[in-house]
């Protein structure tokens, strides 16, 4: 055991163990070794977590925003001070290359804490004049928020949810994915070290059933989930029974549209980032790469050459660019999609097999060309390093095909013609779009999906809407004019 946390849960300001819960082995995806073991939260642990969140939230809501912010900013400093250790832990938990976890995961989480610390003191209500009377509005916290995370960015997700929640006066109970339980515990430890009062950020481990039990608990006021569409549908429905607030960050099958006039190297670079970063396990990935016919040969030649130069291997090594998938189950799922794409007529440009590495859940970075809209590879979220390249002739056609999906998380356009870029983006059904860029998600920019890809937005000023609620206060300044 090389990454064993002090205990499975973090409740009411301290690590807590309860071995009565079923064991969950944490597996290092590069070797298949068990690196830690945690236990699923029992009902007693959940009760303590929710009770402490409820108790702590009232005082926190009454704390001056600038004082809340100071604590979060101290947490940012603590994260930066142990950046290398945190990156290594994230790599063990997820199997993602250390060169990614050093720059993306915790750094992006720290950015969220810093951003919402700065934003919280600026959040104010309105005054609405009504002649002699007036209304003023207060932006109040929602209360106790439940965060449920996916396994692809476990620490970033924990930060993206807790940062606005805490900055704006809420408490949070967070359940990480059972596959990656370690990062959120570290966040809880860091927040308490930074001065966060006990009970405001609790971490409880468990599988889906633990998440489901929390969603319907009457002490939960809001649910924020990052996960797949089927889980989102279940959680949204369960939350609706209590008319709870929700933020749903769900899956995607996003189009990346490359016009003939695009810079080929930039477009290839973006397609690689949009499919192979985090071993392809990113919800906003541009997994349907539409390439206009005039550029197709050049694009595929460069794509093949650059894909075959990717360094695949042990994610702990500095030069590794592509690590394993997160789990054996995910590897089976992805290999199933590859086999199906071959059967349905996809042409393998490169890859298509498990990587020749003895242990671990590795697959070669894979590119399919001549993919058509009806192939499963073009319709379903694979969540692995498998790129589908589709051909197109003209702008109207590609917009219609890009939108012909139940998902609407993200989209990208590459072209030298900026008027066209804006015209196309205006017609794409997606919550986040990029022009001549892909998969950049700075905390300043709202992030979330339309259609089946989600409800609500994380990050940016937009997140304030989702972690506060408005109270309108009517102030009568004159006599009460009753007709009775
Ligand atoms: P899942 O949907 O399987 O799980 C997400 C989380 O929900 C996990 O913590 C899971 O627990 C929990 N859960 C499962 N069932 C329930 C339930 N009935 N009630 C409450 N909680 C439940 O997603 P994955 O973890 O497999 O993550 C991959 C998916 O997440 C992809 O589809 C991807 O698109 C999406 N995603 C979306 C992002 C976005 O921002 N839009 C970002 C990242 C990922 P457990 O895992 O322990 O079963």
């Amino acid at each position: 055991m090389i990454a064993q946390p002090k205990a499975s849960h973090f409740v009411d300001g301290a690590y807590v163990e309860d071995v009565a819960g079923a064991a969950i082995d944490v597996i290092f995806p590069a070797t298949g070794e068990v690196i830690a073991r945690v236990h699923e939260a029992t009902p007693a642990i959940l009760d303590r977590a929710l009770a402490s969140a409820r108790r702590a939230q009232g005082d926190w809501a009454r704390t001056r925003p600038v004082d809340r912010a100071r604590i979060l900013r101290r947490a940012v400093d603590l994260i930066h001070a142990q950046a290398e250790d945190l990156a290594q832990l994230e790599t063990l938990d997820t199997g993602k290359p250390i060169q990614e976890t050093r720059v993306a995961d915790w750094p992006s989480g720290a950015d969220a804490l810093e951003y919402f610390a700065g934003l919280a003191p600026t959040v104010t209500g309105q005054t609405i004049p009504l002649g002699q009377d007036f209304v003023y509005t207060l932006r109040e916290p929602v209360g106790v928020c439940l965060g449920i995370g996916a396994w692809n960015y476990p620490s970033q997700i924990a930060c993206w949810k807790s940062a606005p929640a805490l900055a704006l006066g809420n408490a949070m109970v967070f359940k990480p994915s059972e596959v990656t339980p370690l990062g959120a515990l570290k966040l809880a430890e860091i927040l308490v070290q930074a001065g966060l009062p006990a009970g405001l950020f609790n971490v409880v481990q468990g599988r889906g059933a633990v998440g489901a039990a929390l969603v319907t608990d009457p002490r939960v006021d809001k649910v924020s989930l990052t996960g797949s569409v089927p889980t989102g549908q279940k959680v949204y429905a369960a939350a609706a029974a209590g008319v709870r607030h929700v933020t749903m960050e769900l899956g995607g099958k996003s189009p990346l549209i490359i016009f003939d006039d695009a810079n080929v190297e930039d477009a290839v670079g973006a397609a690689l980032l949009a499919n192979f970063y985090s071993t392809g396990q990113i919800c906003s990935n541009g997994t349907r790469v539409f390439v206009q016919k005039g550029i197709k040969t050049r694009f595929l030649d460069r794509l093949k050459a650059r894909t075959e130069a990717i360094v695949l291997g042990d994610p702990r090594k500095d030069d590794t660019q592509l690590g394993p998938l997160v789990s054996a189950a995910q590897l089976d799922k992805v290999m199933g999609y590859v086999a199906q794409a071959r059967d349905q007529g996809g042409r393998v440009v490169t890859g298509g097999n498990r990587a020749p590495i003895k242990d671990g859940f590795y697959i070669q970075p894979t590119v399919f060309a001549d993919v058509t809209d009806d192939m499963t590879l073009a319709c379903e979220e694979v969540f692995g390093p498998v790129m589908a390249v589709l051909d197109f002739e003209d702008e109207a056609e590609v917009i219609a095909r890009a939108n012909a999906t139940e998902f609407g998380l993200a989209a990208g356009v590459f072209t030298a013609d900026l008027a066209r870029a804006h015209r196309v983006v205006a017609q794409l059904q997606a919550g986040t779009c990029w022009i001549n860029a892909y998969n950049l998600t700075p905390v300043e920019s709202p992030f979330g999906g339309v259609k089946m890809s989600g409800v609500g937005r994380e990050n940016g000023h937009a997140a304030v809407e989702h972690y506060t609620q408005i109270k309108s206060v009517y102030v009568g300044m004159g006599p009460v004019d009753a007709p009775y």
Side-chain angles (χ1 to χ4, degrees):
M1 303 243 185
I2 50 177
Q4 184 63 36
K6 289 181 192 143
S8 299
H9 318 288
F10 198 98
V11 173
D12 204 8
Y15 277 102
V16 180
E17 191 53 89
D18 183 352
V19 293
I24 297 172
D25 284 342
V26 187
I27 290 168
F28 180 39
T31 60
E33 282 170 87
V34 175
I35 54 166
R37 173 169 296 164
V38 295
H39 291 269
E40 215 163 9
T42 56
I45 293 282
L46 298 185
D47 185 57
R48 282 178 61 183
L50 288 162
S52 71
R54 230 4 332 139
R55 190 204 62 236
Q57 195 264 328
D59 282 350
W60 186 240
R62 288 184 289 275
T63 301
R64 260 182 83 193
V66 78
D67 292 330
R68 289 188 221 132
R70 200 170 295 117
I71 292 170
L72 299 186
R73 259 197 292 267
R74 235 179 268 138
V76 173
D77 292 342
L78 290 169
I79 290 171
H80 289 315
Q82 53 193 294
E84 181 59 24
D85 289 350
L86 294 172
Q88 287 184 14
L89 183 67
E90 193 77 354
T91 286
L92 292 176
D93 211 7
T94 62
K96 295 198 285 184
I98 190 78
Q99 59 169 254
E100 286 189 20
T101 54
R102 279 187 184 131
V103 299
D105 298 75
W106 278 97
S108 152
D111 278 0
L113 289 162
E114 189 159 0
Y115 178 83
F116 286 106
L119 186 61
T122 74
V123 172
T124 57
Q126 282 181 301
T127 309
I128 303 157
L130 297 167
Q132 74 169 356
D133 292 355
F134 64 97
V135 166
Y136 66 90
T137 64
L138 298 169
R139 272 214 172 265
E140 298 185 333
V142 176
V144 172
C145 303
L146 168 64
I148 303 179
W151 43 255
N152 59 340
Y153 276 87
S155 300
Q156 184 201 67
I157 291 170
C159 289
W160 280 19
K161 294 191 189 307
S162 60
L166 295 173
L168 296 164
N170 303 280
M172 176 163 274
V173 175
F174 187 82
K175 189 205 83 68
S177 165
E178 80 186 70
V179 181
T180 52
L182 304 179
L185 289 172
K186 270 283 164 207
L187 176 63
E189 192 182 317
I190 287 167
L191 285 167
V192 164
Q193 210 182 334
L196 189 76
L200 289 172
F201 184 69
N202 303 278
V203 176
V204 294
Q205 308 292 353
R207 301 181 170 85
V210 167
L214 288 164
V215 172
T216 50
D217 191 286
R219 289 167 287 188
V220 168
D221 300 300
K222 177 197 166 93
V223 182
S224 176
L225 169 81
T226 297
S228 60
V229 170
T231 302
Q233 289 170 313
K234 279 188 232 160
V235 171
Y236 198 177
V243 197
R244 295 186 174 85
H245 299 244
V246 295
T247 300
M248 297 279 145
E249 296 291 352
L250 309 178
K253 190 74 201 176
S254 301
L256 170 55
I257 301 171
I258 297 164
F259 286 97
D260 278 345
D261 62 350
N263 175 309
V264 175
E265 282 309 315
D266 285 349
V268 169
L272 294 169
L273 280 171
N275 283 274
F276 300 147
Y277 207 72
S278 288
T279 317
Q281 302 162 119
I282 300 184
C283 51
S284 52
N285 269 355
T287 48
R288 289 183 296 147
V289 181
F290 289 97
V291 180
Q292 203 165 14
K293 284 218 166 129
I295 205 177
K296 179 180 173 185
T297 307
R298 271 191 303 148
F299 180 86
L300 285 177
D301 286 351
R302 287 300 297 144
L303 183 63
K304 178 172 159 58
R306 288 177 66 176
T307 301
E308 288 174 356
I310 290 174
V311 180
L312 180 78
D314 187 330
R316 292 167 294 188
K317 290 194 178 151
D318 285 349
D319 60 350
T320 295
Q321 296 172 318
L322 193 73
L325 288 161
V326 75
S327 64
Q330 191 63 15
L331 177 64
D332 284 350
K333 187 178 150 196
V334 173
M335 290 310 297
Y337 277 115
V338 169
Q340 205 175 6
R342 273 205 180 94
D343 290 349
Q344 293 178 353
R347 173 166 64 88
V348 177
V349 174
T350 184
N353 296 302
R354 290 199 55 176
I357 296 176
K358 194 168 131 284
D359 298 311
F361 314 129
Y362 288 95
I363 167 179
Q364 296 171 327
T366 297
V367 177
F368 279 94
D370 306 333
V371 175
T372 51
D373 296 347
D374 54 341
M375 286 171 56
T376 310
L377 188 63
C379 301
E380 294 183 15
E381 187 175 44
V382 175
F383 238 54
V386 183
M387 186 190 309
V389 179
L390 303 91
D391 309 335
F392 76 95
E393 303 267 0
D394 67 51
E395 188 179 310
E397 168 211 337
V398 78
I399 292 168
R401 290 171 60 199
N403 287 337
T405 167
E406 63 175 7
F407 298 110
L409 189 58
V413 179
F414 270 77
T415 175
D417 177 349
L418 279 183
R420 169 159 67 189
H422 294 294
R423 187 169 67 231
V424 171
V425 157
Q427 296 170 77
L428 290 174
Q429 297 164 354
T432 302
C433 293
W434 291 278
I435 295 174
N436 295 332
Y438 205 84
N439 256 357
L440 301 174
T441 53
V443 66
E444 296 88 340
S445 176
F447 181 78
V450 301
K451 294 156 74 178
M452 297 290 268
S453 291
V455 176
R457 291 292 177 271
E458 298 198 298
N459 290 343
H461 281 241
V464 174
E465 300 288 332
H466 302 289
Y467 284 97
T468 58
Q469 53 195 344
I470 292 177
K471 178 182 279 173
S472 300
V473 183
Y474 188 108
V475 181
M477 298 291 288
V480 173
D481 182 15
Y484 316 107

